[in-house]
Structure formats: structure tokens, C-alpha cells
Amino acid sequence: MSASSNSFASTVDLRLRPSLGALRAIFAVHVAALALLPLAMRPGWPLVVLVAAFGVSWFWLRHHPALGFGPRAITRLVWHADGAWSLFRGERELRAELQPDSLVHPWLLVLNFRDPQGRRSVRVIAGGEADAEPLRRLRARLKVGA
């Protein structure tokens, strides 16, 4: 999935909103796990602690930058015609490289980036985060580059 292996000659520019679809899916997983816990454990402190841990996990994920929440969230992605990537956190632009462990699936993108200083950035795109046409172009270009 190297950015330099694609043959497209146009720039893809996505302005991203928070990933509410991914947040709903994560909520459903948390609810299902909480519903199954009483069947898997006896009542007591271990069950209470695990329920509390699920609550903390849910709260933490609701504010996670990978889903588009908070000041560290990627709010815009630009894949330039030359294969270079620009990530925006608010108005701040960062150059980054798409990592080969990124996931490209018809209904989910998990884009892993690394900047020149070695810091990682992740953005989950489940479909409703961007306008349809630029998102379609991004998916097509990622598939061809894979």
C-alpha cells in the first residue's frame, strides 16, 4: 500500500468530521460485552471492577483522536498527486507517510501514519466522516495502491 506505487495524478482532499458510525459500533460492542458479563462471572467485586473498566473504556474512546474527537484529531487529509500526505490537526499541517499496516475495507478505513519524527497518527473512517466523492476517490486510490 505504498503511497508512491499508485498511478493517480490528482490530489485527494478530505475534510473529516468525527466518526459517529465507528462510535456507534464501539458502543454496541461495549453494551454487548456488559450484557454478557453477568453470564460469565459471579456477582461480586471482580464483576463491579470489570463493569467500571468498561465504563472508563467507553469514556476514553468517546474522546479518542483516532475517531476524530479532541485537539489531536486529524481533521483533514490531503493525498497529493506525487504520493505525499499532509495531515491537518485544526489548522496545523503535518507531513506524514502512510504505513503499510493501514486497513482498507469497503466499509472501514484505518489509516496509520508516521511523521518524520517517528510519531504515529491514526484516523478511523467508517463512511460518514467526509463527503462521498472525495471518500470514494480515496478508497479507489488506496485499493489501486495496495
Side-chain angles (χ1 to χ4, degrees), residues 31-44 47 50-51 54:
V31 168
L34 283 171
L36 293 173
L37 272 180
L39 302 173
M41 297 179 71
R42 285 183 271 161
L47 180 62
L50 200 50
V51 167
F54 272 98

Side-chain angles (χ1 to χ4, degrees), residues 13-50:
D13 188 347
L14 265 79
R15 296 187 186 275
L16 299 166
R17 298 178 289 274
S19 184
L20 298 178
L23 194 62
R24 280 190 290 270
I26 291 169
F27 177 73
V29 168
H30 277 74
V31 168
L34 283 171
L36 293 173
L37 272 180
L39 302 173
M41 297 179 71
R42 285 183 271 161
W45 283 108
L47 180 62
V48 171
V49 169
L50 200 50

Side-chain angles (χ1 to χ4, degrees), residues 13-16 65 70-78 80 85-96 113-122:
D13 188 347
L14 265 79
R15 296 187 186 275
L16 299 166
R72 292 184 345 173
I74 298 170
T75 56
R76 183 177 169 207
L77 288 171
V78 179
H80 301 280
W85 286 87
S86 294
L87 313 178
F88 291 82
R89 290 189 171 126
E91 296 299 316
R92 197 176 95 204
E93 181 179 359
L94 307 162
R95 295 297 249 186
F113 297 97
R114 188 167 304 276
D115 68 16
Q117 290 77 34
R119 291 183 299 247
R120 289 190 57 201
S121 298
V122 178

Side-chain angles (χ1 to χ4, degrees), residues 1-10 79-85 97-100 104 138-146:
M1 185 181 329
S2 170
S4 61
S5 67
N6 66 64
S7 61
F8 289 84
S10 64
W79 193 358
H80 301 280
D82 65 0
W85 286 87
E97 182 179 319
L98 183 67
Q99 297 299 292
V104 179
L138 175 68
R139 285 183 195 279
R141 194 166 166 189
L142 285 168
K143 285 179 185 178
V144 169

Side-chain angles (χ1 to χ4, degrees), residues 101-120:
D101 62 345
S102 296
L103 173 71
V104 179
H105 190 273
W107 53 270
L108 179 70
L109 297 173
V110 180
L111 303 177
N112 295 308
F113 297 97
R114 188 167 304 276
D115 68 16
Q117 290 77 34
R119 291 183 299 247
R120 289 190 57 201

